[in-house]
Amino acid sequence: MRVLVVGNGGREHAIIQSLKKSKKIDALYAIAGNGGIANDAITVDMDVKNVQAVADWAEQNKIDFAVVAPDDPLVLGAVNLLNEKGIPCFGPSKEAAIIEGSKIFSKNLMKKYNIPTAEYETFSNMQDAFNYLDTKSAPIVVKADGLALGKGVIIANTIEEAKDAVKSMMEDKVFGASGANVVIEEFLTGPEVSVLSFTDGKTLVPMISSMDHKRALDFDQGLNTGGMGTVAPNPYYTEEIAKECMEKIFLPTMAAMNKEGRTFKGCLYFGLMLTPNGPKVIEYNCRFGDPETQVVLPLLESDLLEIMMAVAEERLDKVEVKFADKSACCVIMASEGYPASYKKGFEITFDTDRENVFVAGARLVDGKLLTNGGRVLGVTAIDETLKGAIDKAYEKVSKIHFENAYCRKDIGARALKAYGEQK
Ligand code: AMP
Ligand code: GLY
């Protein structure tokens, strides 16, 4: 089979390495890929947001199956266009991708179908938002309705800060059209858990749980980033909580999307907070998480292509989805200064093998791998224990070099502590 993966980050590198294990694949392509993905797939330089060009290319190149990984092309309807050309895909239609594309849609969905989430109101007028904030107390959370590169969420510690956030979104338009409408919601507390799931609209199979580390600096200080590291499984996500989430959140969400005529097929990501009042949805994503995928897929023992094809053909109940009974840790090596300003173009060298080293932002120039982004590499290790996985990941990080390399030193520390507390 000729398989195409759309996307160009560490998540896509992990998907591609997992797909490569499938015997069914004869040729593997990536649009646009990156300098690391080029080791594992044939990369095709193209803007992933130009979904028409992507679909045309897939048709011309006789692609048998496509995996659309990032939010933008999904929300823009890449899967609809590919399907119209008769190319089966893993990923939701744009009608279903709205679950991530519009926070107002997802909040209203949860309210309508009684799916636990933070209390909220939505606004299309700044003065109304200000009047509402005058009746509230901080901390309070302001979210831009649309996609905003993961930066559209502001946790305001004062009402003034919340008003500034509303103004920056609605009047100064820092997120463009994505901030024309905003959600203002209750601040929740508790450990966060990411649960990715496979669903074909009939069956939903959760993958192994994981924990992201979103802040740039150790001890959860600094700016919010796309994610500085992950571990799987997440120790807070006990079997009891998993059961509760399945009953109260996962299956009701799948059913709600069906009822709305927006059947979701692909990877549905649940960003959860385990609050004192039970698990609640912080956000849905219509895709694999990054860098959650970099710990989840290396633990997958079943054939990823088989699962993805079963999702597309609505026979997920017929395939095996099995994860290793082990732990994984992914440490992101970033360019110093990320997520603000940073330099790039430095050569990356390896005194170690590159197994489970996922390239997020690098390009190949004359055979040399040069840094080309804020997040450069995701270095994953697997072990019988979480402690072992963390130690191995950092050991590997110490053998990979580039000027201005930066990583958090405490990935997995909170999870380790949680295991200690449970014992
Ligand atoms: P997001 O960009 O939607 O992933 O949100 C970024 C982060 O903001 C989440 O991972 C949470 O840590 C935090 N967050 C979002 N919504 C809330 C909320 N209602 N209460 C507390 N923290 C939140
Ligand atoms: N790691 C969170 C996300 O992919 O949105």
Side-chain angles (χ1 to χ4, degrees), residues 256-269:
M257 291 299 276
N258 287 338
K259 283 216 183 86
E260 295 295 308
R262 296 175 183 273
T263 294
F264 190 103
K265 291 165 63 170
C267 174
L268 183 53
Y269 167 126

Side-chain angles (χ1 to χ4, degrees), residues 225-243:
T225 70
M228 292 300 292
T230 37
V231 294
N234 184 322
Y236 292 103
Y237 193 69
T238 59
E239 264 178 46
E240 200 184 335
I241 290 173
K243 193 163 168 281

Side-chain angles (χ1 to χ4, degrees), residues 149-304:
L149 294 170
K151 294 182 189 149
V153 175
I154 308 287
I155 315 275
N157 289 315
T158 63
I159 292 299
E160 260 336 286
E161 245 180 84
K163 286 185 178 173
D164 286 346
V166 168
K167 181 173 171 295
S168 73
M169 290 177 194
M170 300 186 86
E171 192 171 279
D172 308 337
K173 300 192 169 46
V174 291
F175 303 121
S178 287
N181 299 297
V182 300
V183 174
I184 299 180
E185 72 177 28
E186 169 198 15
F187 176 74
L188 298 176
T189 55
E192 283 185 60
V193 182
S194 304
V195 180
L196 286 57
S197 69
F198 293 110
T199 176
D200 60 2
K202 294 176 176 159
T203 307
L204 184 143
V205 183
M207 298 180 218
I208 195 165
S209 62
S210 54
M211 182 192 285
D212 197 358
H213 297 69
K214 283 198 195 267
R215 299 296 197 95
L217 307 176
D218 286 359
F219 311 114
D220 296 323
Q221 302 295 308
L223 295 172
N224 248 325
T225 70
M228 292 300 292
T230 37
V231 294
N234 184 322
Y236 292 103
Y237 193 69
T238 59
E239 264 178 46
E240 200 184 335
I241 290 173
K243 193 163 168 281
E244 188 178 354
C245 289
M246 193 71 175
E247 282 166 14
K248 294 189 180 155
I249 296 175
F250 304 165
L251 294 176
T253 301
M254 181 180 80
M257 291 299 276
N258 287 338
K259 283 216 183 86
E260 295 295 308
R262 296 175 183 273
T263 294
F264 190 103
K265 291 165 63 170
C267 174
L268 183 53
Y269 167 126
F270 300 89
L272 306 170
M273 197 170 264
L274 308 181
T275 78
N277 300 318
K280 296 194 178 181
V281 177
I282 288 281
E283 62 162 350
Y284 293 115
N285 289 331
C286 65
R287 51 172 176 85
F288 283 97
D290 189 339
E292 284 89 343
T293 307
Q294 290 90 314
V295 283
V296 169
L297 289 186
L299 293 171
L300 179 68
E301 290 182 334
S302 315
D303 185 314
L304 180 62

